[in-house]
Amino acid sequence: MKAKKLLAVLLSVVMAFALVACGDNGGNSSNSGNSETKEEGTSGGGNKIGIAMPTKSLERWNRDGSFLEEQFKSKGYEVKLTYSDNKIDQQVKDIEGLLADGVNLLVVAAIDGESLSQVLAQAKEQNVPVISYDRLIMNTDAISYYVSFDNYTVGKLQGEFVRDKLDLDNQAGPFNIEFTAGDPADNNAGFFFNGAFDALKSYIDAGKLVVQSGQTAFDQVATQQWDTSKALTRFQNILGSNYADKQLDVALCSNDSTALGVTQAIESDYKGDKTKVIVTGQDGDEANLANIVDGKQTMTVYKAVANEAKVTLDLGVAILSGKKPDESLIKESGWDFECSYDTSSYDNGTGVIPSYLLVPTVVTKDNIQKELVDTGYYTMDDKGYPHPVG
Ligand code: BGC
């Protein structure tokens, strides 16, 4: 008798909890989609996601924006997506607009990692958590998490590719190399450059690799806004001043938008054998993959941004449900790709930001099919050129 009474009391407590939980979600009932995740993601945390992307002019952000939008929407969230035309003031205004709109979570890929402290202080005041997406946002304690690829490894893969391609451990050289890096306002750019430079430094020190321009410091090789035409002009100057009668062996470019400019400069201004120049990149932009197929670019480091968006979604859902995500998110989410939880590498000036880091892949002409097409990220047209899906 006693046991039955206890069971009844327990049951009523459980039911009361269940009712309270349903009540919490009542306000979100207009959301369609996967109700299971929706309940977990929105209870107490709201359902409006603000996504601030830097620009439509650099190919990858279009993909990031649409993957993020699509994924959050598919779980029943309302999404506000902004692009800020690579203009810092515009991005500040856009984020202010998102906050005024009542977003419950911000996902921000910064144009300038140093310029968002004030507007993000506002986010913190409004209790809006912020995920720093792909690029680390500096000098603000408003950031909860960072989601990106292992940026140093991206550069390292480029450097190691060059080392292996030239067989630097066995060949005497000397080979000529020039570096082109990214936007100094983007915290990633230094990581990419350092990763590549560190992988090649011992060969430069040994005189096996020579930088004829003498430009080996990040500030000398950086490209404002990752702009293709700026990379083109700088490289034309380098070719004109240093390679009129010399062979260029490597153009180490941090990403595809800069590689595109450098390739154009080689096409127009390099007198030597263009097919022999090793050109690196990053992202798998459509034009660059076409150049890889045509032999004008040698490799790109591919980062599956669809997976970066997936991590951001699961992280966002967990944050909004009041959890404090950590390493266990990786297991719980059951992603079919590699991702690590890092609590030491990315200090934004206010402390280390817990980071989820995905793993980049080297893509060359030989493995485009396997890495990009068979995996479903790209389709191949009947002329043999890949095109991104989504
Ligand atoms: C991204 C790269 C991209 C570059 C320019 C970086 O922050 O990590 O993937 O190539 O910005 O858009």
Side-chain angles (χ1 to χ4, degrees), residues 352-378:
V352 174
I353 306 296
S355 307
Y356 291 91
L357 301 176
L358 294 98
V359 179
T361 317
V362 169
V363 168
T364 63
K365 195 174 180 168
D366 296 336
N367 69 356
I368 284 185
Q369 178 70 36
K370 175 171 167 269
E371 294 294 343
L372 300 187
V373 182
D374 296 350
T375 46
Y377 299 130
Y378 289 71

Side-chain angles (χ1 to χ4, degrees), residues 12 29 41 93 99 108 112 117 125 133 145 150 156 158 197 220 222 260-261 280 287 291 296 298 306 310 337 362 380:
S12 60
S29 58
K93 275 193 207 130
L99 288 170
V108 180
D112 181 337
S117 306
E125 227 176 82
Y133 183 81
Y145 291 93
D150 181 339
K156 190 166 165 245
Q158 294 167 338
F197 199 84
Q220 294 173 303
L260 202 60
T280 68
N291 278 349
K296 295 180 189 167
T298 325
K310 181 100 193 44
F337 49 85
V362 169
M380 192 74 96

Side-chain angles (χ1 to χ4, degrees), residues 54-55 58-61 110 134-135 148 151 186-189 192 225-226 254-257 282-283 285 303 305 308:
T55 175
L58 294 162
E59 185 180 313
R60 68 158 290 183
W61 306 109
D134 200 80
R135 299 171 169 179
S148 194
N151 297 304
D186 175 356
N187 187 63
N188 287 353
F192 300 144
Q225 301 202 312
W226 298 92
S254 283
N255 86 329
D256 280 354
S257 61
Q282 165 187 194
D283 289 333
D285 285 356
K303 305 191 299 191
V305 294
E308 197 174 2

Side-chain angles (χ1 to χ4, degrees), residues 174-210:
F175 301 100
N176 292 324
I177 183 169
E178 295 294 338
F179 291 86
T180 301
D183 188 346
D186 175 356
N187 187 63
N188 287 353
F191 280 93
F192 300 144
F193 175 73
N194 289 337
F197 199 84
D198 290 353
L200 296 173
K201 186 172 181 307
S202 63
Y203 305 102
I204 295 174
D205 291 347
K208 279 194 184 185
L209 283 176
V210 180

Side-chain angles (χ1 to χ4, degrees), residues 126-190:
Q126 287 176 222
N127 283 325
V128 177
V130 182
I131 298 176
S132 188
Y133 183 81
D134 200 80
R135 299 171 169 179
L136 186 62
I137 303 171
M138 306 300 289
N139 302 324
T140 163
D141 63 358
I143 306 297
S144 309
Y145 291 93
Y146 177 44
V147 176
S148 194
F149 282 77
D150 181 339
N151 297 304
Y152 184 84
T153 296
V154 170
K156 190 166 165 245
L157 289 173
Q158 294 167 338
E160 289 175 349
F161 180 88
V162 168
R163 177 199 67 196
D164 295 347
K165 194 87 180 151
L166 292 176
D167 192 16
L168 289 174
D169 287 326
N170 298 304
Q171 300 300 314
F175 301 100
N176 292 324
I177 183 169
E178 295 294 338
F179 291 86
T180 301
D183 188 346
D186 175 356
N187 187 63
N188 287 353

Side-chain angles (χ1 to χ4, degrees), residues 318-363:
I319 295 172
L320 286 174
S321 69
K323 292 183 188 157
K324 287 220 159 33
D326 56 19
E327 188 153 22
S328 58
L329 181 76
I330 296 174
K331 254 205 194 128
E332 283 161 20
S333 302
W335 299 317
D336 58 355
F337 49 85
E338 257 186 89
C339 179
S340 63
Y341 184 63
D342 180 310
T343 51
S344 61
S345 305
Y346 291 95
D347 189 324
N348 83 338
T350 65
V352 174
I353 306 296
S355 307
Y356 291 91
L357 301 176
L358 294 98
V359 179
T361 317
V362 169
V363 168

